[in-house]
Structures are given as structure tokens and as C-alpha cells.
């Protein structure tokens, strides 16, 4: 830091009053010329305090000169290229348009994001004093060193094109508040304009996150492009890293000095003598040890001519104590004239221990050679240590379905496993022709030393290109070594202008890809319900269209229901007369006394109000809906292909007969306010410049008012921007229409998905359509979705179009008359109208009150003597439903909930009936979480009805009863509508070992709602939830009536925090009765591979055998599986257990039951699971096993029971056997046939497998070998050939190994799948043949499967798995028998 003299710098450059370096232009401001004092702010950045500039003819002769000056003062990626008015509506194009004393926004494109100028103008401007910044920058290390455990990270910064101009800066908190502030700091330090950062190989560093994760060096540039240069980072970064290494703390008693363990290595790299094998790029190496890895070390010499054809280059590096070396990564930056490189070999010599390592490479590191990778990993062979295999991971990257979700930016990924990481790799060679398109899944190959179990990835992009934002749905990585798939959910934007602005995300692996797919489907259903639920509000009139029958559902006067009605059929309309959540009653619009009902599984018409008429709506990802009985879950409304009612046993219709497309009547009535959704969370929106986009938020900015011209023909006026209409004109589609015929659209309804398409009446055949980036343009009608809009009604309109019976011609005349009003000044224009006088009363943009509905309420919150800065949340309960949580916040949260202050909020509360209580609380965060709440008042905005909720309570962990949530009953006539009850809750912890824990939450459910989730913090015992202990808590809530269930929640980060709850007893004061909720289970628990942290407990008399219920919907094909672990020592397992069930129609595939790491499969326990076996036919066998994971994977399985929940059919399968690699035959799987009384079961057969290894050099293998036998009756599953019956060392050169596989009879064998996992130093394998012998019921069977090929990724075709077919005629008993003997 001594290279930057702060004192001389401040003396040479004194600052002016405005904080700018004075110049001749500034000194001439006092001349008698017209001057304008103007403030400029940064688009979308409220943290930027603004720049004051004096504009006159002498200081800025041209508008471009002003832009250039502002580019030096306002940090923007590409400089200031646009100046707009504060709201971004109008662009400034010349100096004369600037007004004295006004404020303007600066941006680098025409897209402008408004900011709160009042807030921004109050912020201090730190860059106004270069002296202060320089001084603090030099004082920071000295001042911070005594109190800091770790010094701030150092960053080496080169000036673009001038490698000699360099500075080392500290990434302290002060300079990394934002990316713009950091660039400003670099400009001060480098003494030049800095608007962009690059890596040393020319890749743009677009954000602060990219700086932090960079290798510690950047190139600072202004507006000029990147200039290549010899940016020697090794020389300057290495000394900065040594102090960090020397500060490593060793365990007490370790007296070895750090200098002896500092890690001096000699690296010898030989470049091949192939043509053009040398490279001009910068080569780096990373060493991975058992303790840690080194940073990227760039390899430079003194003569600058390294890595030439046929040359050996030797370097000495220092990496610190990394532990035992197990792999290296070598790569280059792909820079220079000829970056491609063919490396022959690498030799490493640990100069401290004397160990030498030789790594044969013989690979290209080049974008245009082999697989295109420019970095590679290689395992290091250590004597006595297992060598990790090199694995080619399959990376499947799914881009979202949202409009503009694709990207042209460069995408990078880093994969992390228990055995290291891959480093940052660019995903650039997809199997698709163009990568990362909307709705596309791209597949990439990524080669690395095996990482073990994967647990997270870091994925992001560099922000380059015009469409660089990206919506990432998920990433699935397949590990071919273990054949395991890891799913990483994202479903978020990586976009600086969307979501939280991040372009890099850290994602964690889900336990199982099958479970992840289910979670993804469930998430899609929830998002679809959020988008479609408006249709099912009370008072709406619906039609149900069935895609299978091609007709609408009808309810006839005699109660018969069918699905063959026409669109105009009067019996096909249904009114929603009851709505609670997703449960509705659909009453016939024509026959008022009948409603749709499900009676004994069949749909019919019944009297409204009965339990059978309550139907639950289940939204599907395709925007269709299922109608299910709320009384009998699983019974749905279903029709056959002829439109007649059918029952659940109907098959052959692929489920289409259950799905209905739902239409709402009266969507496009006159003066209605609608939202035209383009996806589940996007909508057609008018931009400030008059263009339209399909990627707008579903908010008021995207609202359109309908002007109905005639039947089926409408105009759409922006609610936010009055007198701006959607139109198609001159080959363009935008929102600058004036209400003439260019703005008339014919509404085309699409029966398949309830969407609409907008066809121009002036240009028939042209529709409003979307491009892939979401921009709107006229298109010809197609069914690919770019012309589909999904309307949502914000406010219903009225029948008569325009309030008159006008023809289109008359309407045009009225519009022509209204054009004269456009000459009225702005003050008068706001009161005018661009349409007829009849349209004045329906202008929503002129007054917010025109959009007020029955759902708007004011909430007044009065704070007592102590305020809070925590986040406050509100729930509102009515007799027909609940709304919440509602976050009570504003733009200035620091001004909320101050002592003795009343805060006002406006909230929307829909269809919950009469309000009888509220729940209010905070999250106990911030420095001041305590809160004294005095009173809450709610006032209906339209009717002025007022509800009072008296409080006077403390919401604090350290005050009163320690609760931060309270319930308040509504006061009516001076009396509370419902009493407050303080429930006594006894929580019994079990007597099992490690049953105790520290924290749990509980929610009580009764006839009148719930108490909300409450943290159980104030116990009568000094330490909560100890083994065998009963803790008593108090939960105060508005009376819940008769209690029905309890929800328990317990989250744990490791096994030591799991909790065994025996039961919960709830007592109400003043009564002798108590409600007992039996649990007898560990929390959290795992079911079908999913960890559940919550469990619902029902009243003891409602439970069967006191067993807790996993609350899931009962569906057709559900079975209960009970797995009984034996009662012998160490019978339990830590492995993950999976189940296969075979039926006459198909196999279930792997069903993950759970892991022993989550308190399952303990000795002498019975674990219950619910699985679905729909459509697999009559089951005839099962296979159960585990993945051999965890510290003690051995497992003694006693019994399995399978019970059909619907028919109560029960099968008990006795196992009584170890499932372990070190027990019996070493098999980790057991197969058992299903035994039926009326049908003979299949026999269990022992298959003898003879593996004949070839006699070629290197034919043997040390890898793990797997085989799957496939016959006419199924397959054996993938079995590891673990223990040879005739050889101690298996799979050796020229050897025959014999193995036994026990499986339910496969009948006639057809083929085998044989493979290995590539582990071990000698993992290649030459297989000659396989012979399988067995004794079947119909005689002995002996089948030959010839191979005579390599299973080696470097030999033959590179495959390590082969499918071998049975040879039709074979008899070789003598040969095999002689070898075996």
C-alpha cells in the first residue's frame, strides 16, 4: 500500500465545494452566461446520492460532452447514454430541454428504473472527497488489524493495456457496499476512469459477486474494450497469500513449525511434440490435498517462452500445508494468439517430504479439440490410499418456461462433492444447437476426478449479451460412477434486473431425483392454483369443458350429469355459492335447487348445501382442474369418451376424462379491468416508451380496461397510462393507440387451455404475439403458445358496450371528435376524455377509487411506550376463511411502530366472511425486537365499517410470557365476540436414548380455526425437552372450540438434534377434560426419501392403534408398507433403503423408503410408509435393499408387510436375514415372491454366474462390477458381484470367477447387463463371456452370453457397460466345470 502516497495526492488534487476536481471550465461559471444547476441520479439505484452539475454554453458545448462528463461521475456499466425525466417517461436529447433546478435520471440504455429522489438526495456522497477516501483506504489495515481474526481479502488490479500499472486493494466492507461504489473506489486508487472490470483473459467481471469469487486479480478499464497484456499475477499475489497460510492454527501439542510444512513443490510440465501443441495462453495449476486446496497458481518463467512444442518447463511453487495430495487441476485462460495446448505429462516433487508423483496426461486442453475443455483434472496415486476415478458427469440444465427466460450469456458451473470440487467450468458445448433457450433442457458433459456424494453447485453467468438475464429452473447431474442422480432446484432469475439482482446462485442437492420431480410437480400445481384461484371466487359463473369428450358439463333438471353440452347450453352454467380455500359448491345457474355432487363415486345433481356437493378443486400444471369430493378424498368427477358418467375403475382414458378446462363468464364486459397473463407470473404490460412486453409483473402496471365495441370485439386501455390503447398498425404492435379501429381486437377463445388470442379486426389474420424475449409483435396464429393470453378479472364490468348501442362506425366518429381534446393543456387534459362522454365515468386511471372493491381494508396499529423494528405480520380470521400472513411494511420501515405512534396500512381481504379475530406478531429480529402493542383497528374502506381489537400486550421473548405472537378477538357492542383461552400444553419426551432436543413449535387446530405456529419457549422445567421429561407450556388463543389436531414442528441440522416425542396433552382451564394426541415418533422423520420436519397428531380416539398419521391425500393404488428391523445387536442400518415392487403390468421402479441417518430402521422397530402402486397390476414379487452408505450400513431385516389401503389385502413376507456385504453372500438386495392363497407363488432361484476374463494384457480389473439378469419374467436388478466363490482376488487376467445371485425366478434368461464403476488404478476390463446356470421348475438352465470386448473408457468404444444377448445354442458344461474345479 506504500505505492499510493495519500498526502501528496490530496495536495495535488484539492476538492471543490461540489466535490469535483476544479478545472478551467468550472472557474468560468461566474461569467455572465445563462447557467442551469441540475442534479443527476442513477437509474434504479437509491443508494447513489446524485451529482450536481452546472450546465452552460461554455462548460458543455454539445449534449454528447455532457454525457461524457456524467459517465465519469455516475457509475454505469457502459457509461451514461441516456438522460430521462424522473419517472422515465421522456428522454432528454439536447441541452435546451434541461431545466434549471430540476432532477434527471441517467442510464446506459433507454430502459429506465425510477428511484425515490427524496431518499437519494438525502444520502451523503462519499466520492465528493477524494482526500477522505484516500486517507481511510490507507488507515484501514493498521486500524483494523488488532481486532480482526482475518485480514480483508486482497485484490490485484491492473490497468487495462498497461500491466506495469497495478495496485493491490483490500475488499473491505466499506468499499464493497455496491458494485458501483467499488468501481468508484478503484477509480480513486488507479487514478483513471473505471467503468468495467475484466479477468486477465478478457472475460467481463459483471458484478460484485464475480469480483469476490474471482482468483484475486482483475483488469480495470474505462469505456474502451479489453486490451490483452502480460498481466503477471503470480509475482504479486503469492506474497499476499503467505501471511494467510502462516496464521493457520494447529491443535495443541503439535510443535511442527509452519516453515517446515509450508509446502514447497517443484512442478515439471512437458508439452507434447505434436504440431501446434504449444500455447500462448496463461497456464495455471491447482493442488488438492486432504486438508485443503491451493489457489490457482499461474506458471510463469523469466524468458516468457514457456509451454512450447516438445519442451519441458520446471517451476517452483509454494502452496502451504494442503495435506496428502490426491488430485490436481491443470488449465489455461484461453488467451493469446494460439491458446490450444497439448500436454504430455506432469511431474510433481514435494521438496519437503521428497515424494514424487508422475501424471501421464496426453490430452488436449483446447476449445477446438476433443471435448473442448481448457482445464482437466487428474488423480494422484498415493501408496496405501485409494485412487479416485476420473468421471464424466452428465449435467442437465433446464431453462424456465417464462418469457425471456433464455440467455446468450456465458454460463459457468462449479460442482461440489465430499471429495472436492470441479472449479468453475463454462457450459458451452450443449447437445442442442443453441444453448439455454426458453423451456429447453441442455445436456453437457463435465470431466473431473470423482467428487464422491455431491451436495451443492454454484452456477451463474457473466452478464454478456443483449439478453443476458436467465431464469434457471433446475439442474440435474448424473454420476455415471454410482449411477446416482442429484437434483438442484432453483426456479429463480439470475438477472441483475429481476428478483434479488443476483447472477450467481448456490444450490443444494435434493435427496433423490424422483422425490425432487414430485416436489417440482407439486410446486407447479401450487403456482397454477395461485394463477387460477380467482376463477373460483364466490359469485363467479363457470363452465367446465372436457377435452376428451369435446363438450361442456351439463346438469339436467332430473339430476343427470353429462359432458356433451354445447357452449351455449343453458344447463352448462354453474354459480359458485360457497368458497373456502379450494372447496366450492357449484350450483346450477338454471336450476337453482341443484348443485354438482359426488355420491358413491358418481357425479350427479343434489340439493345444495349437503356434504356431497362440496367439491375440492385441484389445479394441474396444464391449467386444467380436477373436481374431487371434499367428503371422500380420491373420488373425482369423471366421464368416459362418450361424455357419460364413469367411476374410478374406468381405465384406458389416460386421465383426460378427469380434467376440465374452466371458463368464467363475463370476462370481457364493458369497463372490466383485466390482466392478460402470459405465464403463471407474467403479464402483458405497457412500457414507458409505449412498447409492450409479455414479461411484466402481474401488478397494477399490467392492468387493462376493456372497452367493448360489439359482440366479441374489444379495445384495451392501459389503466396506469390513460388514453394509451393496445394496437396493431404498420406491422408493429404497441400501446400507443388512440382508440381508433387499429385498436379493435376480436377475442378468440381457445377451448384447450381457457386462453384467448387477440386478432386485429383491421388486419384479419394478424394476432398479438410474443417473441422469445417477451417483446410483442404481430404474428400469424399458431398453437405454439406465443399468441395465448390467460385473462384474470380484476374488476368485472357491465353488459352494454360503451353504455350505448353504437355501431363501430358511430364509435369511430366519437373518437374523431375526442381527438380535438388532445390539444387541451395538461391541467385540463386530466379532466378530459379521449372517448365519448358516456365513457368518462369508467376511467380507472383518473381516480384510484374507481378500482376500490369490497376487499379493501385499512389497518391502524397503535404502539405503546416501546416500539419495535422487527418485521410485523398479520392474520385475519373470518367465519368462511382466513387471510394471511400479511406483512405490514412500507418504503421506510425505520419509521414504523415507533413509541406512541399509530401506523396505517391498506390490505386486501377476500371472501373470508365476518371477521371474528386477528393474529398479530413479529419475527423477533433486529436490534429492538420487543414491542408493546396497544390496539389494532380495522376499517372497511368502502362501507366505513370499523372493528376494534383491544391489546395492551407485550410481544417479547423476555417480557410477559415470552410470546411474540398474540391473538385478539373482535369487539362488538363492547364485548369480545369470542373469549381468549390460555391452553395448557404438556409435551412428553420419550425415554429413548438421545430423545431430547432444544427447540420445537406447535399449532393447535379446532372447530374455530387454529392458534398459528407458536414456539414452545417458556417451560416449567429449567431445560426443555429432556429424556423422559414432561414440559408444560401455555398457549393463549381465541377459543378454538373442540380441538381436532395438533401440528408439531422440529427442525434439526444433524442427528444429535432429533427428538422423540411420546405424546401431547392439551388442557383447557376450568374444565376437567383433556385432549390426548399420541405421537411416539422421531422428529424430523423421513418418508419416501423426503425429510419431514412437521407432523400432524390427531385425537387419541381418532387414531388407529395410536399410530401417527402422515397427512397425505389418500389416492387410488395407495399401499402401507411396514418394515420390521430385527431385535439383535447392531441390526439397524445407516444406509438408504429402497424398494422395488413388480406387478403383472410393470415394475414400480426404485421407491426410496428412507435413510437410517434419520432415525429409521433402528433395532426392534417397525417403520411404516405409504407408497403408490397404481397401474402396476397384480403384484407378484418385491426387492428390497440399501446403498451401503453411512458408518454402519449392515442391516438385519426381519419382515415386510404390504397392505392395500383400499381393499385391506395384506401380505406378510418373512426375511430374517442380514442384508450386508460382509454377511452371507455379500448381497445388498433380497427378493421375495408374493404368496397368495389362490395362486402358486414363484420360486426363489439361486443363479450361478461364471465370469470369464480375457487373456489380453491388462484384461483384469479392480473396479466394482455389477450385473443385471433379465429374463422373460422380469429382472434381478443391478447386483454387485462382491464375493467370488472360487478365488480370493476376483477379476484377474485369464481367470474364471463364480458368483451366486438369489432372485425370484426369471424363467428363460434373455440378456444380461454387465458394467463396472471405473474405480481403482486398473479399472479397464476385457470380458470374454458370461455363463449363467440355474435350476428352474421346468429343468436346468445354462446360458452363454459372449462378449470378447473391452469395458474401458480408453479402449474400444469407451463404454464401461454392455448388454449381452444369450447365445441360442450352447453346451459347454465340461469347459466351465473344469475351470471351476
Amino acid at each position: 500500500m506504500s505505492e499510493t502516497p495519500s498526502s501528496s495526492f490530496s495536495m495535488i488534487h484539492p476538492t471543490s465545494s461540489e466535490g469535483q476536481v476544479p478545472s478551467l471550465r468550472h472557474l468560468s461559471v461566474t461569467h455572465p452566461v445563462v447557467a442551469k444547476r441540475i442534479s443527476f441520479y442513477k437509474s434504479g439505484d437509491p443508494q447513489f446520492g446524485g451529482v450536481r452539475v452546472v450546465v452552460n454554453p461554455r462548460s458543455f458545448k454539445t449534449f454528447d460532452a455532457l454525457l461524457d462528463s456524467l459517465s465519469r461521475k455516475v457509475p454505469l456499466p457502459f457509461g451514461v447514454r441516456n438522460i430521462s425525466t424522473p419517472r422515465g417517461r421522456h428522454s432528454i436529447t439536447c441541452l435546451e430541454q434541461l431545466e434549471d433546478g430540476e432532477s434527471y435520471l441517467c442510464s446506459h440504455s433507454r430502459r429506465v428504473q425510477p428511484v425515490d429522489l427524496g431518499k437519494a438526495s438525502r444520502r451523503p456522497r462519499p466520492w465528493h472527497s477524494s482526500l477522505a477516501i484516500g486517507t481511510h483506504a490507507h488507515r484501514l489495515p493498521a486500524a483494523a488489524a488488532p481486532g480482526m481474526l482475518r485480514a480483508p481479502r486482497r485484490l490485484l488490479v491492473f490497468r487495462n493495456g498497461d500491466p506495469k500499472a497495478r495496485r493491490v486493494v483490500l475488499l473491505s466492507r466499506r468499499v464493497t457496499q455496491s458494485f458501483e461504489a467499488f468501481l468508484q473506489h478503484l477509480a480513486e486508487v488507479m487514478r483513471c476512469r473505471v467503468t468495467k472490470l475484466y479477468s486477465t483473459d478478457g472475460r467481463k467481471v459483471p458484478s460484485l459477486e464475480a469480483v469476490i469469487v474471482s482468483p484475486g486479480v482483475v483488469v480495470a478499464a474505462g469505456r474502451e474494450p479489453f486490451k490483452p497484456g502480460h498481466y503477471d499475477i503470480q509475482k504479486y499475489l503469492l506474497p499476499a497469500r503467505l501471511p494467510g497460510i502462516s496464521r493457520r492454527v494447529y491443535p495443541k501439542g503439535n510443535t511442527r513449525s509452519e516453515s517446515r510444512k509450508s509446502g514447497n513443490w517443484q512442478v515439471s510440465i512437458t508439452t507434447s511434440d505434436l504440431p501446434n501443441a504449444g500455447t500462448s495462453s496463461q497456464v495455471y495449476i491447482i493442488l488438492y490435498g486432504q486438508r485443503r486446496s491451493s489457489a490457482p497458481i499461474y506458471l510463469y518463467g523469466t524468458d516468457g517462452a514457456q509451454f512450447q512444442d516438445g519442451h519441458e518447463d520446471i517451476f517452483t511453487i509454494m502452496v502451504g500445508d494442503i495435506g496428502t495430495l490426491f488430485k490436481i487441476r491443470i488449465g489455461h485462460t484461453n488467451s493469446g494468439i494460439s491458446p490450444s495446448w497439448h500436454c504430455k505429462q506432469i511431474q510433481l516433487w514435494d521438496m519437503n517430504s521428497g515424494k514424487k508423483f508422475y501424471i501421464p496426461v496426453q490430452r488436449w486442453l483446447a476449445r477446438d479439440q476433443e471435448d473442448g475443455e481448457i482445464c482437466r483434472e487428474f488423480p494422484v496415486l498415493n501408496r496405501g490410499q485409494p485412487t479416485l476415478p476420473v468421471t464424466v458427469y452428465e449435467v442437465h440444465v433446464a431453462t424456465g418456461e417464462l418469457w425471456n427466460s433464455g440467455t446468450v450469456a456465458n454460463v459457468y458451473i462449479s460442482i461440489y462433492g465430499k471429495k472436492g470440487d470441479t472449479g468453475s467450468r463454462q457450459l458451452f458445448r450443449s447437445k442442442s444447437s443453441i444453448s439455454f433457450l426458453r423451456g429447453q433442457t441442455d445436456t453437457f458433459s463435465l470431466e473431473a476426478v470423482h467428487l464422491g456424494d455431491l451436495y451443492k453447485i454454484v452456477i451463474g453467468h457473466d452478464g454478456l449479451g443483449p439478453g443476458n438475464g436467465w431464469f434457471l429452473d433446475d439442474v440435474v447431474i448424473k454420476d455415471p460412477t454410482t449411477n446416482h442422480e442429484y437434483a438442484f432446484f432453483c426456479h429463480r432469475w439470475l438477472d441483475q434486473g429481476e428478483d434479488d439482482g443476483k447472477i450467481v446462485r448456490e444450490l443444494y442437492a435434493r435427496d433423490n431425483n424422483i422425490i425432487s420431480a414430485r416436489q417440482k410437480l407439486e410446486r407447479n400445481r401450487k403456482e397454477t392454483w395461485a394463477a387460477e384461484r380467482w376463477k373460483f371466487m364466490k359469485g363467479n359463473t363457470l363452465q367446465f369443458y372436457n377435452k376428451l369428450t369435446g363438450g361442456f358439463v351439463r346438469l339436467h333438471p332430473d339430476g343427470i350429469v353429462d359432458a356433451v353440452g354445447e357452449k351455449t347450453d343453458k344447463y352448462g352454467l354453474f354459480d359458485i355459492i360457497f368458497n373456502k380455500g379450494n372447496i366450492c359448491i357449484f350450483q346450477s345457474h338454471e336450476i337453482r335447487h341443484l348443485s354438482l355432487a359426488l355420491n358413491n363415486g358418481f357425479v350427479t345433481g343434489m340439493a345444495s348445501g349437503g356434504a356431497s356437493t362440496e367439491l375440492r378443486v385441484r389445479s394441474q400444471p396444464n391449467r386444467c382442474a380436477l373436481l374431487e369430493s371434499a367428503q371422500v378424498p380420491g373420488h373425482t368427477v369423471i366421464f368416459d369418451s362418450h361424455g357419460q358418467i364413469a367411476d374410478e375403475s374406468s381405465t384406458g382414458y389416460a386421465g383426460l376424462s378427469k380434467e376440465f378446462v374452466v371458463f368464467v363468464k363475463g370476462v370481457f364486459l364493458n369497463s372490466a379491468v383485466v390482466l392478460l397473463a402470459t405465464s403463471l407470473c407474467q403479464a402483458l404490460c405497457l412500457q414507458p416508451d409505449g412498447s409492450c412486453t409479455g414479461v411484466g409483473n402481474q401488478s397494477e402496471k399490467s392492468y387493462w380496461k376493456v372497452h367493448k365495441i360489439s359482440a366479441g370485439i374489444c379495445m384495451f386501455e392501459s389503466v396506469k397510462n390513460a388514453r394509451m390503447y393496445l394496437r396493431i398498425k404498420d406491422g408493429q404492435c404497441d400501446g400507443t393507440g388512440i382508440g381508433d379501429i387499429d385498436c379493435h381486437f376480436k377475442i378468440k377463445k381457445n377451448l384447450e387451455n381457457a386462453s384467448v388470442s387477440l386478432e386485429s379486426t383491421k388486419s384479419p389474420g394478424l394476432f398479438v404475439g410474443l417473441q422469445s424475449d417477451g417483446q410483442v409483435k404481430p404474428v400469424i396464429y399458431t398453437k405454439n403458445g406465443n399468441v395465448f393470453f390467460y385473462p384474470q378479472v380484476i374488476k368485472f364490468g357491465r353488459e352494454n358496450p360503451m353504455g350505448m348501442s353504437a355501431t363501430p362506425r358511430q364509435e369511430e366518429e366519437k373518437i374523431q371528435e375526442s381527438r380535438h381534446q388532445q390539444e387541451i393543456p395538461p391541467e385540463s387534459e386530466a379532466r378530459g376524455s379521449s372517448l365519448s362522454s358516456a365513457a368518462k365515468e369508467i376511467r380507472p386511471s383518473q381516480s384510484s377509487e374507481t378500482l376500490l372493491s369490497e376487499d379493501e381494508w385499512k389497518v391502524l396499529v397503535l404502539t405503546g411506550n416501546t416500539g419495535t423494528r422487527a418485521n410485523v405480520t398479520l392474520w385475519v380470521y373470518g367465519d368462511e376463511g382466513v387471510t394471511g400472513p400479511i406483512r405490514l411494511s412500507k418504503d421506510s420501515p425505520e419509521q414504523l411502530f415507533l413509541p406512541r405512534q399509530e401506523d396505517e396500512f391498506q390490505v386486501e381481504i377476500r371472501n373470508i366472511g365476518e371477521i371474528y379475530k386477528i393474529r398479530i406478531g413479529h419475527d423477533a429480529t433486529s436490534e429492538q425486537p420487543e414491542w408493546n402493542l396497544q390496539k389494532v383497528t380495522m376499517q372497511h374502506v368502502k362501507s366505513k365499517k370499523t372493528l376494534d381489537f383491544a391489546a395492551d400486550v407485550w410481544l417479547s421473548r423476555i417480557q410477559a410470557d415470552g410470546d411474540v405472537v398474540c391473538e385478539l378477538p373482535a369487539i362488538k357492542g363492547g364485548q369480545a365476540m369470542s373469549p381468549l383461552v390460555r391452553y395448557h400444553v404438556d409435551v412428553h419426551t420419550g425415554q429413548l436414548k438421545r430423545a431430547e432436543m432444544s427447540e420445537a413449535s406447535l399449532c393447535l387446530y379446532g372447530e374455530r380455526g387454529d392458534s398459528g405456529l407458536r414456539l414452545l419457549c417458556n417451560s416449567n422445567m429449567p431445560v426443555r425437552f429432556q429424556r423422559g421429561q414432561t414440559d408444560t407450556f401455555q398457549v393463549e388463543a381465541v377459543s378454538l372450540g373442540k380441538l381436532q389436531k395438533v401440528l408439531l414442528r422440529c427442525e434439526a441440522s444433524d442427528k444429535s438434534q432429533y427428538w422423540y416425542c411420546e405424546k401431547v396433552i392439551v388442557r383447557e382451564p376450568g374444565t376437567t377434560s383433556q385432549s390426548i394426541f399420541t405421537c411416539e415418533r422421531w422428529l424430523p422423520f423421513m418418508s419416501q426419501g423426503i425429510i419431514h420436519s412437521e407432523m400432524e397428531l390427531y385425537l387419541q380416539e381418532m387414531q388407529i392403534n395410536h399410530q401417527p398419521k402422515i397427512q397425505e391425500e389418500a389416492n387410488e393404488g395407495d399401499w402401507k408398507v411396514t418394515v420390521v428391523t430385527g431385535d439383535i445387536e447392531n441390526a439397524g442400518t445407516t444406509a438408504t433403503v429402497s424398494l422395488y415392487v413388480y406387478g403383472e403390468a410393470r415394475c414400480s421402479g426404485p421407491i426410496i423408503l428412507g435413510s437410517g441417518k434419520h432415525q429409521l430402521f433402528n433395532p426392534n422397530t417397525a417403520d411404516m410408509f405409504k407408497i403408490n402402486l397404481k397401474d402396476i397390476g397384480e403384484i407378484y414379487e418385491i426387492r428390497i435393499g440399501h446403498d451401503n452408505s453411512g458408518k454402519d450400513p449392515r442391516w438385519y431385516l426381519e419382515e415386510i408387510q404390504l397392505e392395500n389401503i383400499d381393499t385391506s389385502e395384506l401380505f406378510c413376507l418373512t426375511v430374517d436375514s442380514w442384508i450386508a456385504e460382509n454377511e452371507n453372500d455379500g448381497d445388498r438386495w433380497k427378493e421375495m415372491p408374493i404368496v397368495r392363497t389362490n395362486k402358486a407363488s414363484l420360486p426363489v432361484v439361486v443363479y450361478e454366474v461364471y465370469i470369464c476374463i480375457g487373456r489380453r494384457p491388462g484384461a483384469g480389473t479392480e473396479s466394482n462390477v455389477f450385473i443385471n439378469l433379465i429374463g422373460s419374467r422380469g429382472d434381478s436388478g443391478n447386483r454387485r458381484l462382491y464375493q467370488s466363490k472360487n478365488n480370493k482376488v476376483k477379476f484377474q487376467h485369464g481367470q474364471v470367477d463364480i458368483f451366486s445371485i438369489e432372485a425370484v425366478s426369471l424363467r428363460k434368461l434373455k440378456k444380461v447387463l454387465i458394467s463396472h464403476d471405473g474405480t481403482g488404478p486398473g479399472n479397464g476390463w476385457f470380458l470374454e463371456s458370461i455363463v449363467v446356470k440355474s435350476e428352474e421348475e421346468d429343468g436346468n438352465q445354462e446360458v452363454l452370453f459372449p462378449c470378447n470386448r473391452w469395458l474401458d473408457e480408453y479402449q474400444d468404444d469407451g463404454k464401461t457397460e454392455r448388454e449381452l444377448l444369450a447365445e441360442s445354442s450352447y453346451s459347454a458344461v465340461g469347459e466351465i466345470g473344469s475351470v471351476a474345479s
Side-chain angles (χ1 to χ4, degrees), residues 213-224:
V213 301
S214 70
V217 58
V218 293
V219 178
R223 294 171 58 188
E224 74 279 3

Side-chain angles (χ1 to χ4, degrees), residues 9-314:
F9 179 70
S10 61
M11 290 175 63
I12 294 172
H13 300 284
T15 56
S16 66
S17 59
E18 268 109 74
Q20 305 298 326
V21 178
S23 66
L24 292 176
R25 290 180 178 180
H26 289 120
L27 294 175
S28 64
V29 169
T30 58
H31 289 189
V33 295
V34 178
K36 304 174 185 177
R37 291 171 174 81
I38 302 171
S39 297
F40 293 94
Y41 296 87
K42 183 184 172 187
S43 169
D45 187 359
Q47 304 299 319
F48 185 77
V51 175
R52 291 193 65 195
V53 177
V54 177
V55 179
N56 60 56
R58 293 188 180 183
S59 60
F60 301 106
K61 297 186 184 308
T62 65
F63 187 66
D64 287 340
L66 174 62
L67 295 179
D68 290 339
S69 176
L70 289 174
S71 296
R72 294 191 292 268
K73 302 170 184 176
V74 181
L76 286 167
F78 304 102
V80 177
R81 297 271 58 91
N82 183 62
I83 298 176
S84 303
T85 53
R87 294 188 179 182
R89 292 185 177 180
H90 304 287
S91 293
I92 305 299
T93 57
C94 61
L95 295 174
E96 289 73 16
Q97 293 177 338
L98 296 171
E99 297 183 14
D100 184 29
E102 295 298 325
S103 299
Y104 297 91
L105 293 183
C106 299
S107 62
H108 64 263
S109 65
R110 292 189 63 84
R111 181 181 179 184
V112 180
Q113 297 180 355
V115 297
D116 185 348
L117 297 185
K119 181 187 296 186
S121 63
R122 291 193 296 269
R123 292 190 58 82
R125 297 190 282 270
W127 56 85
H128 279 187
S129 175
S130 59
L131 174 63
I133 292 178
T135 305
H136 288 302
H138 294 291
R139 290 178 182 174
L140 180 61
M148 293 179 65
L149 295 177
R150 182 182 298 174
R153 189 182 176 199
R154 297 159 65 94
L155 181 73
L156 179 61
V157 185
F158 288 100
R159 182 179 294 176
N160 189 26
D162 186 6
K164 294 182 180 179
R166 59 192 177 273
R167 292 288 185 272
V168 177
V169 299
L170 295 177
L171 297 180
S172 64
R173 289 186 178 181
R174 183 181 62 81
V175 302
T176 56
Q177 295 293 325
S178 67
F179 190 50
E180 290 76 13
F182 181 63
L183 293 177
Q184 185 70 22
H185 176 69
L186 290 185
E188 299 284 352
V189 173
M190 302 299 293
R191 302 187 187 181
C192 67
R193 180 173 59 190
V194 178
T195 60
K196 293 178 286 187
L197 298 180
Y198 294 94
S199 62
T200 54
D201 60 345
R203 287 179 293 144
K204 190 175 181 182
V205 180
S207 64
L208 195 59
E209 293 91 340
V211 173
I212 295 171
V213 301
S214 70
V217 58
V218 293
V219 178
R223 294 171 58 188
E224 74 279 3
F226 173 76
K227 300 176 182 179
H230 188 64
Y231 301 107
D232 188 349
I233 69 172
Q234 176 72 9
K235 178 179 178 182
Y236 300 99
L237 279 188
L238 191 57
R241 291 201 175 108
L242 289 178
I245 296 172
S246 64
R247 282 192 293 272
R248 180 178 294 278
V249 179
Y250 288 95
K252 189 175 182 180
N254 188 346
T255 59
R256 293 187 62 182
S257 66
E258 185 65 41
S259 61
R260 292 182 61 191
K261 301 180 70 175
S262 60
N264 293 328
W265 289 76
Q266 188 179 87
V267 181
S268 168
I269 299 179
T270 303
T271 301
S272 302
D273 54 4
L274 299 176
N276 301 317
T279 181
S280 61
S281 189
Q282 300 173 1
V283 176
Y284 64 89
I285 191 171
I286 303 175
L287 276 59
Y288 279 78
Q290 298 291 351
R291 298 190 65 177
R292 64 176 181 85
S293 65
S294 72
I297 302 169
Y298 286 81
L299 303 176
Y300 291 103
T302 56
D303 55 1
Q306 282 71 45
F307 310 111
Q308 301 304 307
D309 299 2
H311 284 201
E312 179 185 14
D313 297 285
I314 300 176

